[in-house]
Amino acid sequence: MAIMEGFNKALPLSNPYINDWKNEGKKVLGYFCSYIPEELMYAADILPIRVRARTCADTPMADAYMTPTTCSYTRCCLELANRKQYNFLDGIISCNCCDQVRRLYDNIRYKAPFPYHYIMGVPGYVSDTTIDWFKHELKKLKLNLENNFEAKISDEKLYDSIGVYNKSRTLLKELYLLRKHDNPPITGTETMNILSAGVSIPRQQFNKLLTQQLSEFKGKAGISDYKSRIMLVGSMLDEPEYIQVIEDLGGLVVTDSLCLGTRYFWDLVEVGKNPIDSLAERYLSKISCPRMTDGHPQRVQFLIDLIKEFRVDGVIFQRMKFCALWWAEIFMLRDNLKEEGVPFLDLEREYILSGAGAMKTRVQTFMEIMESR
Amino acid sequence: MEIDIYNKYKKLGRGNWGKDLIMWKAMYTGLLTRFKEEEFTPFVEFFLNLFLDLPKARREGKPIIMHPFNYGPELFHAMGIEPLMQEIFSVGLAPFHLNEPYIDYTNKIGYGDNPTLCNAQRPLIGTYLQGAAPIPDLLFFLSTPCNSLAMTYQVFHNLTDVPMFNMDVPYWLYDEQYETSEFYDEKTMDYMVKQVKDLKNWLEKMTNQNLDIEKFQETMKLVNEAREYVVEFNELLKTVPCPVESLVGFGNFLVMVTKGGTTDAVNATKYLRDLAAENVKEGIAGVPDEKLRIMWPYTHVFFDQDLFPFLQEEFQANVIMDILGYYQVLPHDVSTIEKCYESLAKGTLDFSMIGTCRGPIEYYIEYILNFVKEYKIDAVCMPMQFACKHAYTMARVASEAIREQLGIPVLIFGCDPYDSREVPLEAIRQRISDFITQVVL
Ligand code: SF4
Ligand code: SF4
């Protein structure tokens, strides 16, 4: 339990780990999407932090600039940036992962600037041509980090950094393997705490905590008082409270396809070759999100494989309101799940949990449907 | 004479165009009826031919490729593939409220809603499922300007299995530390040229034919000819008063995006250039007693065809240009096949709404600031589509830059140009009228 507290300490935007890092005179950069290789920043002795916006309650300023019909994740980020809630960040790195994130970058630069901004282009499908372009983009980012932060990102440092991040990926996969059990030792809510911590604290510390946590889990009695095994699918979710609502109703979240979940860590970076090449190949060809226009068949297969491996009873799509990418993707996935006979629930949500009552009713009904099968 | 031409087109439109072209035929018939009392200019003929080309392609067994509004069709024309710009449906049906049933149906089957996915493409899904949209042989789309477009094309592909090709327009951020040009560097060009070649290879494979290089060069030359007229026309718009009325510039865009690379396009663009040149010579204003010159750095409110005539009559306001009509493609170099590919790649990067939207907001702001200065603009009007995330999220910052740097008033409002039920015509006209009377004048 004490170890879990170590993860929980990382839940606030700014946390003691970041403070310690900064007290050593080192820099912290916020990044916006899982297509940005954290390894590059870490190799420059910069702490990469996934930009989250947990404390956002309303978005008047962001509504005016980003408009009320953009997704609430991006609006919350602009709002908090404008309220100087990210003062612990020395800059941000963004990409064109979706229209809203790429314009968030513009609005931040104009209305809530940081000392450092960078945006990189991520191609929309995988081919030799696009991987080659992406390598070029990574070289540009590397050079830019070196120039702006007086760092030298040598191949050795990159190898080390890749090693540290691959270690995390392996540990997280081990954690997920435990969730395959009939009586998993960990809930989805606890898993989300760990995943959020992973992108908010120095990676070596995270690996240490996770290694300890895994050995603790191995001796722990599993959870048996659940009604159904749930898979969560969608974009940016870093709110354990959201999963808590599902689990309070008897659904145990056992796996996912989320930005911070499997899609983040499932694939390793290949070692033993040019590190920039390995990073470019891994980040572009990893299990994709709907921004990759050629990835739908691969995503379907990934989902179906996970459903089978984790013996999922039902899928909950947590679809961020106003997100074009995920609406279209879910529209297509529905048919795939119907063909497989897997029940699903399409839950539109705001970034910050609101209307938990309505959500409860729908999840409750979904549970009943699954139980009656 | 005119009645002869009318009868010719009437005859050409006869016959069975196929069930899935019923809407297409209805649009053709509507146009012909509208033009009956007017002169059959080369521009009018371009339009009518555009509608006739599709059933003709069907009859002749020519492959049809569906593509969005932001790609020049020269390669398709060069390969004898009939391009179908899919937004002709959403734009063409909007004034008659005929998108609306398909939008409702698309809502009903659960494919998005208006603020999430743009109705420039979204109704296509409902239209197709109800059998009212033709199924092309091939699908082509680009990653820019928006996710909404790219997703609807994928959904269409998913439903129909029509083979699809996606071209990735790279996000481009000029960085003087590494790049050689503000708009393209070697790497970007190389990336795009490779994709143009990939597209060519794909088209060859799909249609079982090889690109005829001479024909390709001829097509590219025809694009150059038409382009020259468009550029001259755009120059003439700088004249005060403007020699043509609102919307004429948009005509050039329609020509280039559907028939760039054909003689129809050369004739239509020449006609518009001549019209503007003649009016400048004669001192004729497109809007008599022009009082206001408006820039419209976005798409039109397509369901209100009379909005611009209304502004012309009420305020002597001329909408000089919209974002699509401002065609900025450079001349194609046709000296070698390699140069042709390069030109096509560059043309893709510069195409309307791609050039201004494929990078950071500065691209968009610069475009507006330059246009306002060069075309002596008095006010800027941005009617933003609710679902157009990449553009709507630029509007406020852009408007602040315009006001601060040039002191020009800007109006931003949200609407759905394809569905009059979201923000009705009267409300939009009132909004613009209030802006003109209370802020601009
Ligand atoms: S939820 Fe959708 S719109 Fe929002 S940041 Fe993620 S991908 Fe973009
Ligand atoms: S109006 Fe905007 S959202 Fe709609 S198709 Fe055009 S660029 Fe995409």
Side-chain angles (χ1 to χ4, degrees):
Chain A
M1 211 54 213
I3 310 164
M4 205 42 133
E5 268 157 31
F7 293 118
N8 291 349
K9 273 200 293 182
L11 282 179
L13 295 185
S14 178
N15 62 54
Y17 303 96
I18 297 177
N19 296 341
D20 290 348
W21 181 275
K22 286 193 77 86
N23 287 340
E24 287 176 37
K26 294 193 284 190
K27 303 287 185 198
V28 182
L29 289 180
Y31 69 93
F32 277 99
C33 172
S34 30
Y35 280 86
I36 294 174
E38 296 159 293
E39 288 91 336
L40 272 175
M41 289 173 261
Y42 209 64
D45 225 6
I46 295 167
L47 177 61
I49 293 292
R50 172 102 189 196
V51 179
R52 299 181 296 120
R54 281 177 55 82
T55 51
C56 178
D58 57 353
T59 54
M61 178 269 174
D63 288 356
Y65 282 89
M66 292 285 293
T67 84
T69 57
T70 47
C71 87
S72 47
Y73 166 65
T74 50
R75 273 181 289 137
C76 280
C77 291
L78 180 63
E79 192 70 38
L80 294 194
N82 186 247
R83 290 182 196 164
K84 310 261 180 267
Q85 300 280 300
Y86 299 123
N87 271 0
F88 56 95
L89 294 179
D90 296 292
I92 53 156
I93 299 185
S94 191
C95 69
N96 58 335
C97 56
C98 72
D99 289 341
Q100 323 202 27
V101 165
R102 78 181 162 114
R103 290 297 175 222
L104 169 65
Y105 173 76
D106 290 322
N107 279 283
I108 281 183
R109 281 186 301 127
Y110 277 80
K111 304 313 296 183
F114 289 90
Y116 169 83
H117 308 105
Y118 191 83
I119 185 161
M120 57 187 266
V122 182
Y125 64 91
V126 190
S127 75
D128 291 345
T129 309
T130 59
I131 289 181
D132 184 51
W133 165 270
F134 198 46
K135 286 177 188 169
H136 173 68
E137 282 294 295
L138 294 191
K139 282 178 201 156
K140 274 168 62 181
L141 171 60
K142 175 175 173 278
L143 210 56
N144 197 289
L145 288 170
E146 289 179 331
N147 290 344
N148 281 282
F149 295 98
E150 291 170 13
K152 178 83 195 102
I153 307 178
S154 63
D155 279 0
E156 283 61 41
K157 281 192 171 174
L158 258 182
Y159 287 133
D160 287 350
S161 177
I162 288 171
V164 170
Y165 278 82
N166 268 351
K167 172 85 180 162
S168 278
R169 294 180 180 115
T170 313
L171 292 171
L172 284 169
K173 214 163 183 175
E174 256 186 68
L175 177 79
Y176 270 55
L177 291 185
L178 297 175
R179 303 171 79 195
K180 285 185 179 176
H181 296 171
D182 282 344
N183 302 324
I186 182 168
T187 63
T189 312
E190 288 166 324
T191 307
M192 183 47 74
N193 286 357
I194 294 174
L195 294 169
S196 297
V199 291
S200 315
I201 70 178
R203 195 46 68 113
Q204 267 147 329
Q205 276 171 282
F206 174 74
N207 287 351
K208 213 166 136 194
L209 277 174
L210 187 50
T211 308
Q212 291 166 354
Q213 182 69 68
L214 280 169
S215 51
E216 189 180 285
F217 278 146
K218 281 173 191 159
K220 194 181 158 202
I223 304 158
S224 54
D225 59 341
Y226 62 86
K227 292 182 193 153
S228 20
R229 299 168 71 87
I230 302 289
M231 175 180 197
L232 265 182
V233 177
S235 59
M236 178 64 179
L237 174 73
D238 66 328
E239 215 181 3
E241 295 82 349
Y242 182 90
I243 302 177
Q244 188 73 60
V245 172
I246 298 169
E247 299 197 321
D248 284 348
L249 293 166
L252 185 69
V253 175
V254 290
T255 191
D256 63 69
S257 171
L258 297 173
C259 294
L260 290 190
T262 54
R263 291 202 313 277
Y264 171 70
F265 67 80
W266 209 252
D267 301 295
L268 294 178
V269 177
E270 197 183 331
V271 285
K273 58 192 225 187
N274 177 299
I276 292 285
D277 290 358
S278 296
L279 286 172
E281 283 158 17
R282 186 271 174 188
Y283 275 84
L284 211 59
S285 332
K286 74 187 175 80
I287 290 300
S288 62
C289 82
R291 75 169 301 282
M292 301 300 280
T293 56
D294 60 342
H296 181 73
Q298 173 213 35
R299 292 191 292 272
V300 172
Q301 195 52 54
F302 181 64
L303 224 67
I304 289 169
D305 289 348
L306 288 186
I307 287 169
K308 287 184 181 147
E309 282 174 37
F310 288 79
R311 283 165 294 114
V312 167
D313 299 310
V315 169
I316 294 183
F317 295 116
Q318 56 85 16
R319 179 171 53 76
M320 194 91 77
K321 197 169 180 181
F322 304 133
C323 173
L325 292 177
W326 276 97
W327 197 322
E329 176 74 358
I330 291 167
F331 181 76
M332 295 188 277
L333 285 175
R334 294 185 326 184
D335 286 343
N336 303 108
L337 292 190
K338 271 185 207 156
E339 271 167 33
E340 294 291 320
V342 180
F344 59 86
L345 174 66
D346 181 5
L347 271 186
E348 185 172 79
R349 68 178 271 254
E350 296 286 6
Y351 173 61
I352 298 297
L353 183 62
S354 59
M359 178 181 161
K360 271 184 198 161
T361 313
R362 294 203 55 206
V363 173
Q364 179 91 53
T365 313
F366 184 55
M367 294 298 178
E368 282 159 16
I369 291 171
M370 278 184 296
E371 271 181 290
S372 64
R373 279 162 63 91
Chain B
M1 184 60 200
E2 291 292 310
I3 194 70
D4 286 349
I5 305 179
Y6 172 78
N7 285 336
K8 177 184 97 177
Y9 278 104
K10 198 163 175 211
K11 202 167 149 204
L12 285 169
R14 283 199 193 119
N16 182 2
W17 288 17
K19 205 168 152 240
D20 59 348
L21 287 184
I22 283 178
M23 300 278 274
W24 192 254
K25 189 170 184 181
M27 283 194 269
Y28 174 80
T29 314
L31 266 181
L32 189 59
T33 312
R34 199 177 134 199
F35 288 134
K36 189 175 179 183
E37 307 301 327
E38 292 177 23
E39 194 190 342
F40 277 80
T41 66
F43 185 71
V44 168
E45 293 209 53
F46 141 79
F47 241 131
L48 293 169
N49 289 336
L50 176 65
F51 281 92
L52 289 170
D53 284 345
L54 203 58
K56 188 162 167 256
R58 275 273 173 82
R59 281 196 304 273
E60 293 172 357
K62 217 172 155 186
I64 295 169
I65 189 160
M66 192 188 281
H67 70 97
F69 69 97
N70 48 4
Y71 190 69
E74 41 267 48
L75 183 61
F76 306 143
H77 284 303
M79 294 185 74
I81 301 168
E82 188 60 37
L84 164 60
M85 186 183 81
Q86 159 267 316
E87 288 85 356
I88 293 178
F89 278 97
S90 44
V91 169
L93 297 177
F96 312 103
H97 307 282
L98 288 173
N99 276 328
E100 291 158 19
Y102 297 110
I103 290 173
D104 291 345
Y105 186 71
T106 313
N107 288 343
K108 199 172 126 200
I109 58 167
Y111 183 52
D113 57 14
N114 169 46
T116 307
L117 284 145
C118 177
N119 279 336
Q121 293 84 24
R122 194 174 71 99
L124 170 69
I125 301 304
T127 317
Y128 155 69
L129 287 172
Q130 298 217 308
I135 306 186
D137 302 292
L138 302 167
L139 270 184
F140 169 81
F141 69 97
L142 306 106
S143 59
T144 301
C146 62
N147 295 147
S148 179
L149 185 161
M151 292 319 291
T152 298
Y153 269 70
Q154 287 170 75
V155 168
F156 189 76
H157 162 75
N158 192 268
L159 290 169
T160 60
D161 264 341
V162 172
M164 155 181 102
F165 189 95
N166 167 216
M167 189 173 277
D168 185 57
V169 177
Y171 184 90
W172 173 242
L173 173 62
Y174 172 60
D175 187 334
E176 58 190 13
Q177 286 184 82
Y178 319 108
E179 324 295 5
T180 46
S181 150
E182 212 175 318
F183 288 102
Y184 341 83
D185 69 352
E186 225 177 277
K187 198 77 198 167
T188 311
M189 284 308 298
D190 178 53
Y191 186 62
M192 290 305 291
V193 168
K194 276 186 186 152
Q195 290 190 81
V196 167
K197 288 181 184 169
D198 288 347
L199 171 62
K200 181 217 89 167
N201 293 339
W202 181 76
L203 291 171
E204 286 183 336
K205 196 171 149 214
M206 290 293 140
T207 60
N208 210 10
Q209 56 159 333
N210 289 329
L211 171 67
D212 175 338
I213 292 171
E214 268 175 37
K215 187 151 182 241
F216 184 33
Q217 285 169 316
E218 283 312 309
T219 313
M220 300 284 270
K221 278 185 202 160
L222 288 174
V223 172
N224 281 350
E225 254 186 83
R227 176 203 167 270
E228 198 58 39
Y229 293 128
V230 175
V231 171
E232 285 176 31
F233 173 89
N234 284 350
E235 272 303 300
L236 290 162
L237 295 189
K238 290 181 182 170
T239 317
V240 179
C242 181
V244 292
E245 60 180 338
S246 313
L247 248 181
V248 179
F250 181 65
N252 271 328
F253 165 74
L254 276 181
V255 174
M256 298 310 279
V257 75
T258 56
K259 278 180 169 271
T262 66
T263 45
D264 270 356
V266 175
N267 295 337
T269 50
K270 179 177 183 308
Y271 167 76
L272 295 180
R273 192 282 313 263
D274 289 348
L275 175 74
E278 186 63 21
N279 285 354
V280 169
K281 207 166 114 203
E282 300 293 326
I284 296 171
V287 175
D289 302 319
E290 175 186 289
K291 281 209 183 82
L292 266 183
R293 296 166 69 86
I294 297 179
M295 181 192 187
W296 200 271
Y298 196 65
T299 59
H300 299 166
V301 180
F302 292 113
F303 68 75
D304 186 1
Q305 278 197 322
D306 293 326
L307 175 60
F308 291 161
F310 163 79
L311 295 175
Q312 293 180 175
E313 267 171 42
E314 284 290 305
F315 304 104
Q316 287 82 51
N318 195 333
V319 176
I320 306 292
M321 186 58 87
D322 63 279
I323 196 169
L324 297 176
Y326 197 49
Y327 182 81
Q328 291 295 295
V329 173
L330 297 170
H332 290 327
D333 180 345
V334 298
S335 56
T336 64
I337 180 70
E338 208 48 42
K339 290 284 174 202
C340 284
Y341 292 135
E342 267 175 42
S343 297
L344 211 51
K346 211 173 238 187
T348 305
L349 293 170
D350 289 337
F351 208 77
S352 303
M353 221 176 192
I354 292 193
T356 43
C357 299
R358 68 183 165 96
I361 194 170
E362 284 79 2
Y363 280 28
Y364 185 63
I365 293 176
E366 284 300 307
Y367 142 69
I368 302 178
L369 291 177
N370 289 337
F371 194 93
V372 166
K373 282 188 265 183
E374 284 185 26
Y375 288 77
K376 303 175 195 78
I377 295 297
D378 304 300
V380 174
C381 203
M382 299 185 185
M384 291 292 171
Q385 149 75 301
F386 288 123
C388 190
K389 319 290 184 188
H390 78 99
Y392 206 176
T393 48
M394 291 197 284
R396 181 88 181 237
V397 168
S399 74
E400 287 177 359
I402 299 158
R403 281 194 210 105
E404 277 160 25
Q405 294 185 43
L406 302 176
I408 296 287
V410 183
L411 172 69
I412 307 166
F413 61 91
C415 66
D416 182 350
Y418 307 93
D419 186 347
S420 62
R421 297 166 301 179
E422 286 290 337
V423 182
L425 175 152
E426 297 76 19
I428 293 176
R429 289 191 187 182
Q430 189 62 50
R431 197 82 199 264
I432 304 177
S433 301
D434 290 348
F435 168 67
I436 292 177
T437 50
Q438 292 165 25
V439 183
V440 183
L441 294 176

